[in-house]
Amino acid sequence: MSNYELAIKNGVIPSTMSEVDYLKSLYGKDGSNVTLEDIYNGTEKTLKYKRMDKCPTCGGSGKGHNSRVETCTHCGGTGQFFQQNGFVQTITTCPHCKGKGTILINPCPTCNGNGIVETETQVKINVPKGVAQGTQMNIQGNGHAPLNCDGIYGDLFIVFTENPHNKFERIGDDLYFELKIPVIDGMLGCNVEVETIDGKKLSTKVSQGSEDGDKIRFGGKGLPKFNHDNLHGNMIGVIKLVIPKKLSEEEIELLKQLKEKENFK
């Protein structure tokens, strides 16, 4: 039985919740949500999440005070229901004993005989450099405990979610950003200074006659490639020409004069 099915069976989540939404509910934003800086540098984070764990009252046995086991009277101890409809016979799991064939009388009041209860725990995880949106990490033995703790713990699946950045947009391993310059600098060309994801300053030249949407590439200044952190993507500035909203009379007159020039017609 999967962790998802176990959670429904024990009433931890409603039966209408999808498995995808259940997975999302397990992983708190503090753990699985990562920033571009986390992805660039790699980091260690503490993830808080909920899981089914050994009941502290009964130690996982499911038994309470003066507990005893009796044969299920609904299925006669078979753990199954047999139904005959004409020539068709159907067999279903007994809902009263859940297929065990026995009923625990006076079960543990904390876990209701299941031997497990929902708890909140935490685990430290390493965020790999260059990890992509939606990447899953599997940590063995950190998932749910089995019913009555009879067996091994399941696994914890962590789904990484990338937080939006206030400057950069990630496309693959490349980092795109908007490079705003005055329209006059786009026409004349200029030198500009930009900042990388790790805070370093870079100078570059904007060519004369640059247009809206032109790109300037900074090789190797993007994100490290997953599992190859000695290789990096690029940082790419997309030029955005800024047009002044208000002009003085002198500026308007100068622009009218330029308008008559050959290159401005």
Side-chain angles (χ1 to χ4, degrees):
M1 182 177 292
S2 69
N3 293 339
Y4 169 65
E5 293 168 330
L6 184 62
I8 290 180
K9 183 175 181 179
N10 289 284
V12 176
I13 60 173
S15 59
T16 53
M17 178 181 284
S18 70
E19 189 165 5
V20 171
D21 288 338
Y22 168 63
L23 286 172
K24 290 180 179 178
S25 74
L26 288 179
Y27 313 126
K29 290 184 177 180
D30 290 339
S32 59
N33 281 51
V34 291
T35 65
L36 282 181
E37 286 79 7
D38 292 334
I39 296 170
Y40 182 86
N41 295 304
T43 188
E44 184 180 77
K45 297 178 79 71
T46 298
L47 169 65
K48 295 181 179 179
Y49 65 102
K50 294 180 179 180
R51 70 173 181 176
M52 303 304 292
D53 209 343
K54 181 186 293 186
C55 175
T57 303
C58 66
S61 69
K63 297 179 180 179
H65 185 63
N66 293 328
S67 287
R68 67 182 187 277
V69 177
E70 293 184 354
T71 300
C72 177
T73 57
H74 296 275
C75 64
T78 64
Q80 297 176 322
F81 271 156
F82 297 88
Q83 291 180 317
Q84 191 77 34
N85 185 9
F87 294 102
V88 179
Q89 185 183 59
T90 58
I91 303 174
T92 57
T93 300
C94 175
H96 301 281
C97 66
K98 297 182 175 63
K100 293 180 179 180
T102 57
I103 298 291
L104 180 64
I105 306 301
N106 296 325
C108 171
T110 303
C111 65
N112 197 33
N114 292 316
I116 53 176
V117 292
E118 185 183 52
T119 61
E120 184 174 281
T121 186
Q122 62 185 38
V123 65
K124 287 186 177 181
I125 61 171
N126 289 315
V127 179
K129 291 183 179 181
V131 67
Q133 165 84 8
T135 298
Q136 290 190 10
M137 175 184 288
N138 177 18
I139 304 180
Q140 293 184 343
N142 282 71
H144 289 303
L147 281 173
N148 301 118
C149 293
D150 183 20
I152 61 174
Y153 278 65
D155 297 341
L156 173 65
F157 289 88
I158 300 166
V159 182
F160 288 103
T161 302
E162 186 181 298
N163 288 338
H165 199 273
N166 59 4
K167 176 181 177 180
F168 293 106
E169 179 183 356
R170 179 183 186 178
I171 300 180
D173 298 316
D174 295 334
L175 294 176
Y176 284 74
F177 70 99
E178 190 175 66
L179 180 57
K180 291 183 178 181
I181 59 172
V183 66
I184 194 71
D185 285 341
M187 289 188 288
L188 298 175
C190 65
N191 292 316
V192 295
E193 187 177 76
V194 297
E195 188 172 320
T196 62
I197 186 73
D198 57 344
K200 294 178 181 177
K201 304 289 186 181
L202 298 176
S203 295
T204 190
K205 182 177 179 61
V206 176
S207 301
Q208 180 181 338
S210 292
E211 299 180 354
D212 242 11
D214 285 353
K215 297 178 179 64
I216 299 178
R217 176 180 171 274
F218 301 86
K221 299 301 179 182
L223 294 175
K225 294 184 180 295
F226 187 53
N227 289 334
H228 299 280
D229 55 17
N230 58 322
L231 301 175
H232 286 67
N234 303 312
M235 186 175 79
I236 299 171
V238 182
I239 291 177
K240 173 68 174 177
L241 297 179
V242 179
I243 300 175
K245 300 297 183 182
K246 294 182 180 181
L247 298 171
S248 67
E249 291 184 3
E250 180 183 5
E251 290 166 338
I252 292 173
E253 187 58 35
L254 288 171
L255 288 173
K256 285 181 178 179
Q257 294 176 28
L258 283 174
K259 187 177 179 182
E260 300 302 318
K261 303 297 182 181
E262 184 65 28
N263 287 332
F264 289 85
K265 290 184 179 180

